[in-house]
Amino acid sequence: MLTGPPATPGPAEPDAGTPRERETPAVTLYDRVWASGLPNAAAIARRELSGYFISPIGYVVGAVLALMIAGIGFIGPVGLGQPINFGQQVLALASFLMVFVTPLYTMRLLAEERRSGTLEMMLTSPVRDWEVVVGKWLGCLVFYLATLASTLVLLAFIVALTPTRVGVHVFGHTLSVPNLDYGSILTAYIGVVLVGSAWVAIGLLASSLTSNQIIAAILGIGLLLGLDYVLGVLSHVVIAPYGSLLDYLNATNRAASFNEGRLVLSDFVYFLTLSAAALFLTTRVLESRKWR
């Protein structure tokens, strides 16, 4: 019986994999970033930030704040011939004034959305509650920092008016720079950022509790005054150990270390915890509206 030549095996077919592997598409980095919610939060932050630059209230309040900081923290001491401690005078004054200014920035963030009815539309969209909260907080925080950027002009004047110079070695070259404590200045700016993140988060929480912008501003100022000053006063009245606890919770004491040029871990944790707690409570307030 004759038979033909043995069949030549053809090229092996690629393994299609298990049914689960065939049905599950590969997860890309883009998919992971999109699922994290960060693009939505960034889009909301961009919208809020553009709204601040369009609205005249941001420019008016920012200009008044810059003039007060320059007049009280810089021109006054220079006119009296006094030395200027940038952290303890200029930036500490800025933090004090922002207790009253920040709620003016945050009062409309959620209160106006509730009044106009757009908040319900936003919450029923695919955007999650925490994305709305983080986006609005981030947009207002960036504008807060942009407002305080005027202090960099004052810092430039201080650098120009400093008569003493010191040599700094950079890549084998010696540069003559004004004799300032740049480390303490950087530390003070870190404190301004941390304080601002907490103030904006608390102001956002106040805005989520009402549909009236004026009430939101008053409530925000009251909360910040309570944290910044009332707790300090009560700490000297209340019997220990509660007095020590109130003294620790006093935001003025926690911010003082940064203005003095000291980095203290407990103060870092205080402001980061305060920001996270306020954002968490704001998210819970928005979630509670779905059950009404």
Side-chain angles (χ1 to χ4, degrees), residues 19-145:
R20 182 181 297 274
E21 293 175 346
R22 291 195 301 267
E23 295 174 0
T24 305
V27 179
T28 64
L29 178 61
Y30 175 82
D31 296 328
R32 294 181 184 276
V33 173
W34 183 261
S36 67
L38 295 179
N40 288 335
I44 295 174
R46 184 167 57 251
R47 189 194 70 171
E48 294 299 331
L49 187 60
S50 63
Y52 281 116
F53 285 105
I54 293 174
S55 174
I57 186 173
Y59 292 99
V60 173
V61 175
V64 172
L65 178 67
L67 290 175
M68 293 181 67
I69 294 175
I72 301 174
F74 181 78
I75 297 177
V78 169
L80 297 175
Q82 299 175 352
I84 298 178
N85 186 305
F86 191 76
Q88 296 184 3
Q89 289 177 261
V90 177
L91 295 185
L93 174 62
S95 297
F96 167 75
L97 294 176
M98 292 309 291
V99 169
F100 305 94
V101 172
T102 305
L104 300 180
Y105 290 160
T106 60
M107 64 181 183
R108 70 170 188 84
L109 288 178
L110 290 173
E112 178 63 20
E113 300 272 12
R114 292 182 62 177
R115 187 196 64 81
S116 61
T118 56
L119 181 60
E120 283 72 14
M121 297 174 57
M122 184 179 298
L123 295 179
T124 55
S125 67
V127 180
R128 288 169 286 189
D129 296 338
W130 72 265
E131 296 170 0
V132 175
V133 172
V134 171
K136 288 180 174 292
W137 167 77
L138 186 59
C140 187
L141 177 59
V142 173
F143 188 75
Y144 167 97
L145 297 178

Side-chain angles (χ1 to χ4, degrees), residues 116-195:
S116 61
T118 56
L119 181 60
E120 283 72 14
M121 297 174 57
M122 184 179 298
L123 295 179
T124 55
S125 67
V127 180
R128 288 169 286 189
D129 296 338
W130 72 265
E131 296 170 0
V132 175
V133 172
V134 171
K136 288 180 174 292
W137 167 77
L138 186 59
C140 187
L141 177 59
V142 173
F143 188 75
Y144 167 97
L145 297 178
T147 302
L148 291 180
S150 60
T151 59
L152 295 175
V153 178
L154 302 180
L155 179 59
F157 277 112
I158 293 175
V159 170
L161 295 175
T162 301
T164 58
R165 317 286 289 188
V166 63
V168 177
H169 300 283
V170 180
F171 300 112
H173 300 277
T174 301
L175 302 178
S176 179
V177 298
N179 188 16
L180 295 174
D181 189 354
Y182 296 99
S184 64
I185 293 175
L186 177 60
T187 302
Y189 270 111
I190 293 174
V192 167
V193 175
L194 290 173
V195 171

